[in-house]
Amino acid sequence: MEYVLETNNLSKKYKDSLALDRFTMHVPKGSVYGFVGQNGAGKTTLIRLVCGLIKPTGGEYTLYGVHSDSKDIAKVRRRMGAIVETPSFYAEMTAKENLRQQGLLLGLPSFDYVDEILKLVGLGNAGKKKAKNFSLGMKQRLGIAIALVGDPDLLILDEPMNGLDPQGIVEIRELILSLNRERQITVIISSHILDELARVATHYGFIDKGRMVKEMSAREVEAAYRKRTYIKVTDTKALARVLDDMNITYEISSDKEAYVFDKIGVSQLAILLEKEKCEILSMQEKEESLESFYISLVGGGDHV
Amino acid sequence: MFKLFRVDFYHMFYKKWFWIFTAFMVASAVGFCAMQYTAMDYVVALDRVIFLPMAFFGIAAAALVGMVIGEDFSDGIVKNKMISGKSRASVYFANLVASTLGCILMYLFTIMISYGMGIHLFENNVPFEKLLLFICLGFVTICNYAAVYCMVTMIVGNKSLALMFCMGIAFVLLFLSIHVDGMLARPEMKDGQINPFYVSGLKRTIYEWIHDINPTGQAAQLSQMECLFPVRYVIAALLSILLCSLVGYGVFCRKDIK
């Protein structure tokens, strides 16, 4: 598999705290890489390192095969666009002027791209409104538009859904999907809004306390979800005996409630329970969310 | 770096700050001319007036550089430049050049107004060569100011803090200049006797260098159109520019950009 970004034992230490601890990740080309972690887990630190805003205290990374210590690392960054924490733009300028400035910065020969990009991000009608007067969603889209100037292959978005209203979240999600599918842009999104991330990501990296807990494809994550069935019965002791005989994994949560983690034949279970004089009161199949999967990965405790 | 400089320079004029501080300097030039013309009961010589607004230049330059570069940090523009693949060296020096040119234009507007009004209102005692020399010394001083404030802003990296530090340093330089000027102005002889407080020898040389390295000390010499050692003036300014640029760039290279 071809990777656009790889990190190897990357570490970043601030005065007292270790923000990244021998962090290793692999971002496949063409993927939407969901970078999952709670606040302070080290997501933004990694993004800032890759963007060259801070320097690592240990380890290394490669961007498009160019080593982080190489002189060419700044050049290769021209192939990427990023929004780190908050979108960056000239607040006094209009959306068009901002895109022209970015074009000048990158040394683009013409401004033909301006209208196309503004239309793509849904700012075609922003007109002469100054960026400082934009709504939060418009600012986020302007940030993405600026990141898209120069036709990048890699887009890094740090918490792009933060603070957006439901409509704004849907618009940004659709934009990310269209950029990935229609323009083949690899996208790295850091977020802790996991339900939204689950709708766009093709790959995941789970980070906790500065360390990569696990990297998985979306399919692997879905397969790893533990499907469970909630059962309410009159006698959980009888249920336990039956499930033990059937060699099925389960968890008793009260004297009448239990969770079953393997697939079960409902009719067979009902017949066997009837023999034990136990009645099924209710039954419901539940699916684990990405959120609960993440918590099960990093361990509950101090996590949301 | 040229692309970056072009963006920074465009940005300098796009923002209101350049025009506000230039207007302030032009107003101070007009004000000084008016004051000298109306308050004195004798004909004032032109050399007392042309560079008088330079006394305020340190404050205006501090505000301009602190606001413009500081806003680049606050709006995330510096961050954006680096994400776009620009090196820290080019980001630093493009800002330095743009700030210097902005200050030079502010200086030229001020001097043109001051000279334009002064030549009609006051006795023209300034030969062309002297005028040219002091205009050139003014350029050197402006570069010195820009290097100092650019260093401070690039190190601080936050608009409010940068403005606070630049203004603070502007006043420190002003007070240092007043103090050193006072020390150097002490007469050698007083009431026919050697003045015990006269600063002489190595101590005087050190004070003179401090006065020349300090951009406000240079501005003080400009405002009086008196410069005893123009070569040292230029060398001291070049040393200051070099030192500030090296320190500023060195710290900026190691700085975590927020």
Side-chain angles (χ1 to χ4, degrees), chain A residues 114-131:
Chain A
V114 171
D115 290 329
E116 188 203 337
I117 293 179
L118 285 178
K119 201 175 162 191
L120 179 74
V121 300
L123 287 177
N125 297 321
K128 291 185 176 177
K129 195 174 184 179
K130 287 184 175 178

Side-chain angles (χ1 to χ4, degrees), chain A residues 152-165:
Chain A
D153 307 319
L154 170 64
L155 193 59
I156 301 179
L157 305 174
D158 187 13
E159 306 279 4
M161 321 278 192
N162 261 10
L164 296 183
D165 58 24

Side-chain angles (χ1 to χ4, degrees), chain B residues 11-77:
Chain B
H11 183 210
M12 173 83 69
F13 294 105
Y14 190 93
K15 288 203 165 187
K16 56 183 180 284
W17 304 119
F18 172 79
W19 302 106
I20 288 174
F21 298 124
T22 301
F24 165 76
M25 284 307 299
V26 167
S28 72
V30 173
F32 277 124
C33 284
M35 276 163 58
Q36 292 286 342
Y37 186 70
T38 54
M40 303 298 173
D41 54 2
Y42 55 89
V43 178
V44 177
L46 185 60
D47 66 354
R48 298 287 112 190
V49 181
I50 302 176
F51 290 95
L52 217 47
M54 289 304 288
F56 287 152
F57 199 88
I59 292 163
L64 177 68
V65 177
M67 284 304 286
V68 172
I69 303 181
E71 228 162 52
D72 265 15
F73 273 100
S74 298
D75 289 348
I77 303 301

Side-chain angles (χ1 to χ4, degrees), chain A residues 20-292:
Chain A
L20 277 184
D21 183 12
R22 288 163 288 152
F23 187 84
T24 298
M25 81 186 287
H26 306 83
V27 179
K29 188 179 178 186
S31 64
V32 177
Y33 191 97
F35 196 28
V36 183
Q38 62 169 345
N39 287 334
K43 304 186 296 287
T44 302
T45 301
L46 177 90
I47 290 173
R48 281 149 59 90
L49 273 168
V50 173
C51 291
L53 302 176
I54 55 177
K55 296 193 172 175
T57 44
E60 61 200 14
Y61 63 89
T62 56
L63 193 59
Y64 289 101
V66 177
H67 198 274
S68 51
D69 292 335
S70 163
K71 282 181 182 174
D72 292 331
I73 193 72
K75 275 184 198 166
V76 88
R77 280 202 190 98
R78 286 173 203 168
R79 292 178 65 180
M80 69 179 223
I83 300 181
V84 185
E85 291 173 291
T86 49
S88 310
F89 47 75
Y90 291 103
E92 296 289 332
M93 292 183 182
T94 64
K96 268 190 182 180
E97 286 167 336
N98 265 290
L99 262 60
R100 285 183 180 164
Q101 285 295 293
Q102 185 67 11
L104 282 175
L105 187 72
L106 295 170
L108 300 184
S110 75
F111 299 129
D112 297 344
Y113 57 88
V114 171
D115 290 329
E116 188 203 337
I117 293 179
L118 285 178
K119 201 175 162 191
L120 179 74
V121 300
L123 287 177
N125 297 321
K128 291 185 176 177
K129 195 174 184 179
K130 287 184 175 178
K132 67 179 178 183
N133 298 324
F134 281 9
S135 68
L136 198 61
M138 288 171 83
K139 285 177 181 172
Q140 201 68 265
R141 276 180 279 167
L142 176 59
I144 294 177
I146 290 171
L148 288 174
V149 175
D151 209 10
D153 307 319
L154 170 64
L155 193 59
I156 301 179
L157 305 174
D158 187 13
E159 306 279 4
M161 321 278 192
N162 261 10
L164 296 183
D165 58 24
Q167 178 68 24
I169 290 177
V170 173
E171 285 170 8
I172 294 291
R173 185 210 306 153
E174 296 300 321
L175 176 61
I176 290 167
L177 285 173
S178 79
L179 291 173
N180 177 252
R181 288 171 188 167
E182 290 163 26
R183 295 189 166 213
Q184 284 77 48
I185 296 175
T186 306
V187 187
I188 300 175
I189 312 174
S190 87
S191 183
H192 54 251
I193 307 175
L194 303 187
D195 288 342
E196 272 310 316
L197 208 53
R199 292 168 198 250
V200 291
T202 60
H203 291 75
Y204 292 97
F206 297 95
I207 179 175
D208 184 47
K209 292 172 186 164
R211 299 200 73 165
M212 179 62 88
V213 179
K214 197 154 194 164
E215 280 188 294
M216 302 169 91
S217 71
R219 279 186 186 173
E220 287 170 327
V221 170
E222 278 167 28
Y225 279 178
R226 295 176 82 190
K227 285 191 177 171
R228 54 187 181 163
T229 307
Y230 165 81
I231 303 180
K232 193 172 180 183
V233 290
T234 51
D235 179 6
T236 46
K237 284 179 185 168
L239 176 68
R241 279 195 300 276
V242 168
L243 292 174
D244 284 338
D245 290 344
M246 292 170 80
N247 201 22
I248 282 174
T249 318
Y250 64 92
E251 182 187 293
I252 303 290
S253 55
S254 73
D255 59 345
K256 287 192 174 174
E257 292 169 315
Y259 286 96
V260 176
F261 294 109
D262 293 336
K263 278 200 168 183
I264 46 169
V266 179
S267 309
Q268 190 194 0
L269 181 69
I271 292 164
L272 292 170
L273 283 176
E274 200 174 356
K275 283 180 187 170
E276 295 279 341
K277 309 240 185 276
C278 173
E279 193 183 335
I280 297 175
L281 299 172
S282 68
M283 206 167 174
Q284 197 179 357
E285 198 171 66
K286 291 187 172 179
E287 196 170 287
E288 228 177 3
S289 63
L290 182 60
E291 200 170 1
S292 51

